[in-house]
């Protein structure tokens, strides 16, 4: 088949842009929107890094106004596809 692609040259992303992931930051687990994902290919493994946006209460204002912050993340180290894994990581860090 002329459309066949060598599967050894394909990288499957763990999720899609716009998906909700869980990020450990500031000693909490935050629900975050994925806005960028990049695979880094090493000799023995592939690591996924990206950017997320988290929303939380602004600690300097008491009117409940939310603050959005963009963070650089590494999947499996500070960002996870499910909340349970993120909470487990947070417990390990304490």
């Amino acid at each position: 088949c002329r459309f066949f692609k060598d599967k050894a040259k394909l990288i499957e992303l763990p999720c899609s842009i716009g998906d909700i992931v869980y990020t450990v930051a500031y000693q909490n687990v935050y629900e975050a929107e994925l806005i960028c994902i990049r695979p880094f290919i090493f000799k023995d493994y592939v690591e996924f890094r990206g950017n997320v946006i988290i929303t939380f209460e602004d600690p300097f204002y008491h009117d409940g106004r939310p603050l959005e912050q963009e963070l650089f993340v590494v999947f499996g180290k500070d960002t996870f596809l499910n909340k349970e894994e993120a909470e487990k990581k947070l417990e390990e860090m304490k």
Side-chain angles (χ1 to χ4, degrees):
C1 175
R2 65 186 180 116
F3 298 110
F4 175 76
K5 298 275 186 186
D6 182 358
K7 299 264 186 206
K9 295 181 180 179
L10 297 178
I11 296 174
E12 186 174 335
L13 299 176
C15 55
S16 299
I17 301 299
D19 282 357
I20 299 299
V21 293
Y22 298 90
T23 297
V24 178
Y26 309 119
Q27 301 174 344
N28 281 308
V29 173
Y30 293 95
E31 195 173 272
E33 179 185 0
L34 184 66
I35 59 172
C36 174
I37 188 166
R38 298 176 295 279
F40 282 75
I41 304 166
F42 299 94
K43 181 180 178 182
D44 298 334
Y45 67 98
V46 176
E47 180 177 270
F48 295 99
R49 303 174 187 177
N51 295 71
V52 298
I53 293 181
I54 62 172
T55 304
F56 54 95
E57 274 189 42
D58 189 333
F60 301 107
Y61 295 101
H62 299 290
D63 62 358
R65 191 168 41 172
L67 176 68
E68 286 189 346
Q69 184 173 14
E70 183 175 335
L71 301 174
F72 172 79
V73 296
V74 179
F75 280 78
K77 293 189 178 177
D78 59 11
T79 298
F80 303 88
L81 299 178
N82 62 59
K83 191 172 185 177
E84 293 77 22
E85 288 181 38
E87 289 172 342
K88 182 179 174 184
K89 181 64 172 187
L90 181 62
E91 286 301 315
E92 290 174 7
M93 294 171 64
K94 289 183 178 181

